[in-house]
């Protein structure tokens, strides 16, 4: 028998040169032919992978933050993994951790990761032989007037039975790497969904802290409003006493009553904001609105910033920001899809086979003479497609360039957001300090003007103006204290804080399987 030979033709890829003839010797040496086919398939499977290999894009990053952004900040190594602990607030620590366990947006992101992993398994399954079982039992009678009518026996065809059962298999030999590129794209797409999960986690921690800060800020504003009400009530009593003594007119009493009523009118607005912040916090934790009112009803001060705030260097955004990492992984997945499209320019090879039994009698189905089998090496090559394949390749290349631009834009947006957050934090710190000075001065002014009014050295208008100014300044100071902490939270979010890039993946496969087992009933596994 003339052996099957491997020669190199188009694209320097192996092709089959069949024997010149099929003699009886060839028929008798089928097992050797089968072995040669298997060897051929093994050689073909180790061939090249077409399309571009992905390389991490080079990104120009500044060596340091802009001077205006880091004024009052330290660019040393930042501890971003558990940034909320810098506020030294045990309840905040607890709420952040509870949000990770109950938030529904995070749960949805986790299931998107599971979906991506499952789809990756679908793609990777094409690397293995596909085996199926088929069976059939039929009874039929050919037409006496049909295409077989000329060979019909006298009296016509009789009805007959046919029984068959067997296993069929097909295996695509990934000569040019079409499947390998699909798996590569699926791997990168799965990693992108993990980064999306981390991005949701980063935002969740920040939103939880922001809602908590809003709760404490509203409570502080309420305390200030009630304190001013108490002071203005005392002033109203003073004016009434002086009016009763005939020292002042009824105008002072009316103005004092108006001022007190105006301060009272601010309290419902602040209480509304407090309820909204508590409801927002409850929903972030996956609980119904109102569930946290009792837990947060005990007043506590607004969290304070640490003595030193460190930001790290700009280049660390590339590994710390999940949205940047997601954009990079999406670019990697799309680059692999160019190879998937390019593989259609080349022939595809497969290995098929069937082993089964066939008989006209069900009783003879398991006898040796009923065995039937076949083996083949199917080849498909799209020689002409009207430019469709090359157009698809150009489309994939264009999508890759789009995602490259998106990656670069994401990096720029990360730098912009971080620098803006630094400036906002530092400027609000400066504003808060000025407001503190203003509040101190206004409190001293009120004490002096009340003394002068009691002594008859000034009119009541000065008292009214000073009380109104004190209320506004104290309220602004409380709001500024909350904004300072909120801006610091936004800074930690802009830096990608809330997870550790050096730690294992956010969702380990075994953890995800455990979550799935707890949330859905067992199902049939294929």
């Amino acid at each position: 028998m003339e052996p099957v030979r491997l020669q190199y033709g188009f694209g320097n890829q192996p092709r089959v040169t069949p024997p010149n003839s099929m003699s009886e010797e060839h028929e008798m040496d089928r097992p050797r032919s089968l072995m040669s086919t298997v060897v051929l398939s093994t050689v073909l499977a180790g061939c090249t992978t077409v399309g571009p290999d992905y390389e991490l894009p080079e990104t120009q990053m500044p060596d340091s933050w802009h001077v205006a952004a880091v004024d009052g900040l330290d660019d040393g190594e930042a501890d971003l993994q558990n940034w909320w602990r810098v506020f030294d607030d045990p309840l905040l620590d607890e709420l952040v951790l509870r949000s990770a366990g109950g938030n529904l947006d995070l749960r949805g992101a986790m299931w998107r990761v599971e979906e991506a992993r499952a789809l990756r398994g679908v793609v990777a399954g094409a690397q293995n032989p596909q085996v199926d079982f088929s069976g059939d039992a039929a009874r039929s009678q050919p037409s006496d007037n049909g295409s077989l009518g000329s060979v019909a026996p006298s009296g016509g065809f009789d009805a007959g039975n046919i029984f068959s059962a067997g296993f069929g298999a097909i295996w695509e030999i990934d000569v040019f790497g079409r499947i390998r590129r699909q798996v590569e794209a699926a791997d990168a797409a799965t990693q992108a969904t993990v980064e999306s999960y981390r991005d949701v986690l980063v935002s969740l921690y920040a939103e939880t802290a922001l809602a908590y800060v809003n709760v404490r800020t509203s409570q502080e504003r309420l305390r200030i409003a009630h304190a001013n009400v108490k002071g203005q009530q005392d002033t109203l009593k003073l004016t009434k006493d002086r009016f009763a003594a005939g020292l002042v007119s009824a105008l002072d009493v009316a103005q004092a009553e108006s001022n007190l009523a105006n301060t009272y009118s601010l309290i419902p607005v602040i209480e509304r904001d407090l309820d909204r912040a508590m409801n927002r916090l409850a929903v972030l934790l996956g609980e119904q609105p109102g569930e946290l009112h009792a837990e947060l009803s005990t007043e506590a001060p607004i969290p304070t910033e640490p003595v030193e705030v460190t930001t790290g260097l700009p280049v660390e955004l590339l590994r710390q920001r999940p949205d940047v990492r997601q954009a990079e992984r999406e670019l990697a997945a799309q680059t692999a899809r160019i190879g998937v499209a390019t593989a259609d320019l080349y022939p595809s090879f497969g290995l098929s086979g069937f082993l089964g039994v066939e008989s006209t009698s069900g009783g003879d189905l398991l006898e040796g003479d009923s065995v039937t089998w076949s083996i083949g090496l199917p080849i498909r090559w799209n020689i002409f497609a009207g430019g469709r394949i090359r157009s698809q390749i150009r489309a994939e290349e264009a999508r890759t360039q789009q995602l490259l631009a998106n990656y670069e834009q994401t990096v720029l947006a990360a730098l912009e957001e971080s620098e803006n957050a630094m400036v906002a934090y530092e400027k609000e710190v400066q504003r808060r300090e000025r407001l503190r000075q203003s509040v101190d001065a206004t409190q001293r002014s009120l004490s002096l003007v009340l003394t002068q009014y009691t002594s008859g050295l000034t009119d009541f208008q000065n008292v009214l103006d000073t009380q109104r100014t004190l209320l506004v300044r104290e309220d602004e100071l409380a709001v500024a204290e909350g904004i300072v902490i909120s801006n610091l939270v936004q800074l930690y979010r802009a830096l990608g804080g809330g997870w550790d890039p050096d730690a294992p993946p956010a969702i380990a496969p075994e953890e995800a399987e455990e979550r799935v087992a707890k949330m859905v009933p067992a199902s049939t596994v294929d």
Side-chain angles (χ1 to χ4, degrees), residues 462-479:
N462 288 331
V463 177
L464 288 177
D465 291 342
T466 306
Q467 284 183 333
R468 291 167 182 165
T469 301
L470 179 61
L471 174 61
V472 171
R473 294 294 177 265
E474 286 184 333
D475 188 71
E476 287 180 344
L477 177 58
V479 172

Side-chain angles (χ1 to χ4, degrees), residues 370-382:
S370 298
V371 174
T372 178
W373 61 269
S374 66
I375 190 169
L377 183 64
I379 300 176
R380 183 185 66 82
W381 192 358
N382 198 330

